Amino acid sequence: MLALWRSHKLLLIAFMLAAVLTIGFGVRMLLFSVYWSDPDHQNQPLESWMTPRYVALSYKIERDDVRKIFGIEQSPETRMTLQSIAKLQGVTLEAMQSQLDAFVVDRLSK
Amino acid sequence: MSLVVDYGGALLLIVTFLSCLAAPVPSSLLMLTGGGFVASGDLTLINAASAAYFGAILGDQTGFQIGRRAGPLIESKLAKAPKRAALQHKATGFIEHYGGAGVFLSRWLFSPLGPYVNFAAGAAGLNWIRFTVWASIGESVWVTIYIGLGFVFADRITGLADILSNASGFLAAGIVTVGLGFWLHMAAKQAKSRKPH
């Protein structure tokens, strides 16, 4: 082992670095798998890039319900992102999230 | 990521192209998102898949050509240092032998290594047809996996992206670890056989 250190220092360091990275990624992969398999985490928090159709898919709600919640029933635009909807209506993403959460809770209690 | 909805195919094409040249763009994440948008109906499958695929093919070819141009230059520089030249000869031999499989697997299984394989294969003078065949097949696997997973797990892309990015890092770092470990092992064996008894 010592002889290797003397003759192939760089290689040994590279190897150990690669091994540490492998373990690091592996651990993170497992941790995220555990986190995301929890059904509580599966209603994805709203992000600006999502569309109403996508939200409907993620929260397993009808598209029409989503449009009602976000107040865009009249809008002919189908591919709007939440970012543009928020801008249009002068609301924040957080406000939209609360409206959505309220709907979900209400539906579950029925 | 809202750009994916607005510019769909074009964005996917540009991003996959850049990712094959080692640019730090989140191509896998965007492809997952693309798959998710195909599921929600915001993108068509043809649009998403073909854009991602052609971007990747073009990117691979470009990387390969860059490697090819740079290859002779690097070789002439290395030839001056005998140890490095020997190393480079070994690498070239290795690429010749495992080239096809290496190109294929680095498209999807060890994707972080992909762009570097493009440069190395070009520099090592890997046969262009061989490269193109394996790259094309590999890229189709990559596009299918990522857009497919994005489609199937559309309701939880955020989570999937987290898991997959770490998984691909794990695999890429893993194969490098195995390769370096093997190299160390050979070096140790050589050293042992050279020891006087």
Side-chain angles (χ1 to χ4, degrees):
Chain A
M1 184 65 174
L2 206 55
L4 260 182
W5 172 251
R6 267 184 250 132
S7 60
H8 291 90
K9 209 169 282 190
L10 205 60
L11 185 58
L12 202 52
I13 291 175
F15 171 74
M16 291 194 290
L17 193 64
V20 166
L21 280 176
T22 306
I23 294 173
F25 278 122
V27 169
R28 291 188 93 219
M29 176 178 67
L30 290 173
L31 288 177
F32 277 116
S33 302
V34 168
Y35 178 83
W36 287 109
S37 60
D38 184 348
D40 279 338
H41 295 138
Q42 273 167 24
N43 279 342
Q44 294 176 190
L46 295 182
E47 294 188 45
S48 54
W49 53 264
M50 299 181 183
T51 62
R53 272 189 287 208
Y54 184 81
V55 173
L57 189 62
S58 176
Y59 282 74
K60 302 186 169 46
I61 318 176
E62 292 298 309
R63 284 182 192 173
D64 287 330
D65 287 335
V66 175
R67 290 163 75 83
K68 237 180 262 167
I69 298 169
F70 293 150
I72 50 168
E73 291 150 278
Q74 313 300 320
S75 172
E77 178 64 59
T78 41
R79 263 167 43 159
M80 287 183 99
T81 58
L82 295 187
Q83 189 179 43
S84 23
I85 294 176
K87 225 183 249 175
L88 203 69
Q89 304 192 325
V91 294
T92 62
L93 210 59
E94 288 83 23
M96 294 172 86
Q97 178 80 67
S98 338
Q99 284 174 310
L100 185 62
D101 290 338
F103 179 87
V104 172
V105 167
D106 183 61
R107 238 242 315 239
L108 283 175
S109 65
K110 288 220 174 84
Chain B
M1 289 214 283
S2 49
L3 293 172
V4 178
V5 172
D6 297 328
Y7 300 107
L11 181 69
L12 282 175
L13 192 147
I14 294 172
V15 167
T16 53
F17 174 80
L18 291 175
S19 73
C20 291
L21 296 173
V25 289
S27 57
S28 305
L29 177 63
L30 287 180
M31 293 213 320
L32 282 178
T33 311
F37 282 139
V38 170
S40 66
D42 293 304
L43 268 185
T44 62
L45 181 62
I46 294 281
N47 216 334
S50 53
Y53 184 69
F54 286 118
I57 295 292
L58 288 172
D60 286 340
Q61 290 295 317
T62 307
F64 183 77
Q65 291 302 327
I66 292 177
R68 225 190 207 180
R69 303 274 179 280
L73 289 166
I74 297 174
E75 234 188 285
S76 57
K77 276 211 181 127
L78 284 178
K80 299 178 187 155
K83 233 192 200 167
R84 263 180 267 161
L87 183 64
Q88 205 239 353
H89 262 281
K90 259 198 195 148
T92 309
F94 185 84
I95 288 175
E96 254 308 303
H97 204 78
Y98 296 107
V103 168
F104 176 68
L105 293 176
S106 58
R107 298 309 100 184
W108 58 279
L109 195 57
F110 309 114
S111 48
L113 302 178
Y116 305 103
V117 171
N118 289 341
F119 299 137
L126 184 68
N127 176 268
W128 176 75
I129 294 182
R130 219 171 131 198
F131 173 80
T132 303
V133 166
W134 286 111
S136 309
I137 301 176
E139 294 296 9
S140 64
V141 173
W142 186 58
V143 170
T144 306
I145 289 179
Y146 276 86
I147 293 193
L149 284 175
F151 181 86
V152 171
F153 294 104
D155 60 337
R156 50 195 113 166
I157 285 188
T158 313
L160 189 62
D162 283 339
I163 299 173
L164 276 184
S165 62
N166 284 292
S168 80
F170 171 72
L171 287 171
I175 195 70
V176 170
T177 307
V178 167
L180 290 176
F182 185 70
W183 191 352
L184 268 177
H185 176 72
M186 298 303 284
K189 257 173 68 178
Q190 264 190 334
K192 247 200 196 150
S193 64
R194 266 194 255 123
K195 259 203 184 132
H197 290 294

